[in-house]
Amino acid sequence: MERSLVLIKPDAMQRGLAGTITSRLENLGLKLVAMKMLHPDKALAQRHYAIHKDKPFYNSLVNYISSAPIIACVFEGEQAVEAIRKAIGATDPAQAEKGTIRGDFGLDIEKNSVHGSDSTATAEEEIKLFFSQDEMFSY
Ligand SMILES: Nc1nc2c(ncn2[C@@H]2O[C@H](COP(=O)(O)OP(=O)(O)OP(=O)(O)O)[C@@H](O)[C@H]2O)c(=O)[nH]1
Ligand SMILES: [Mg+2]
């Protein structure tokens, strides 16, 4: 059983896509075990994307993620990390296949609607950034 952190990014929130995106991931057969709406501050955005701190787009990415409320969720299930990455599609919506979340809804390489953890190890670190133990559910 794996867990993955999903963020519904500002561009998707602002276009009313939170339910659609959550629904697509539930329809993969994954279980929603944590969920919250929050407006990330810059410090949280910087920690979440720390791996990209030397990239030219880092400041823009941090400003973008902290520009508006987002929804953070944890999905759990068999091969959850890979299943979610597949459903999300390529980073650049222009390259993402139709039928993927980014292929259908992403606006550009930065405003690409959703984040999904890229490994089980990353997922555990990311989940700890957004959720405490008592915000995670088993049912
Ligand atoms: N402006 C800009 N943003 C980028 C670029 N590449 C990536 N990003 C943004 O940075 C985020 C993290 O990049 P990556 O971790 O390489 O891509 P990813 O794993 O598909 O996306 P996440 O699930 O959000 O981590 C992307 O989702 C984009 O929002 C770029 O070349 N320019
Ligand atoms: Mg990534």
Side-chain angles (χ1 to χ4, degrees), residues 49 51-52 85 91 102 115-118 126:
Y49 280 124
I51 192 161
H52 297 304
R85 295 284 290 189
T91 306
R102 287 170 175 165
H115 162 81
S117 304
D118 63 11
E126 291 178 349

Side-chain angles (χ1 to χ4, degrees), residues 10-126:
D11 69 275
M13 296 295 292
Q14 286 163 339
R15 288 176 294 146
L17 293 168
T20 300
I21 291 170
T22 309
S23 175
R24 285 198 183 194
L25 300 177
E26 286 181 316
N27 288 341
L28 299 175
L30 300 173
K31 184 184 275 187
L32 189 52
V33 296
M35 185 176 218
K36 70 166 72 156
M37 185 165 169
L38 71 156
H39 190 141
D41 60 15
K42 276 203 181 177
L44 177 58
Q46 283 167 343
R47 288 181 71 191
H48 175 68
Y49 280 124
I51 192 161
H52 297 304
K53 67 179 186 318
D54 298 325
K55 305 264 173 67
F57 59 81
Y58 178 68
N59 282 336
S60 175
L61 175 60
V62 164
N63 286 336
Y64 165 60
I65 290 294
S66 58
S67 67
I70 64 170
I71 288 176
C73 329
V74 180
F75 282 93
E76 183 182 271
E78 300 280 338
Q79 315 270 299
V81 167
E82 192 192 338
I84 289 171
R85 295 284 290 189
K86 257 179 95 176
I88 287 177
T91 306
D92 184 353
Q95 311 293 325
E97 286 178 33
K98 284 292 154 207
T100 63
I101 294 169
R102 287 170 175 165
D104 292 347
F105 305 120
L107 296 178
D108 60 41
I109 195 165
E110 181 174 86
K111 297 178 177 59
N112 60 5
S113 303
V114 65
H115 162 81
S117 304
D118 63 11
S119 72
T120 51
T122 313
E124 293 309 313
E125 291 306 309
E126 291 178 349

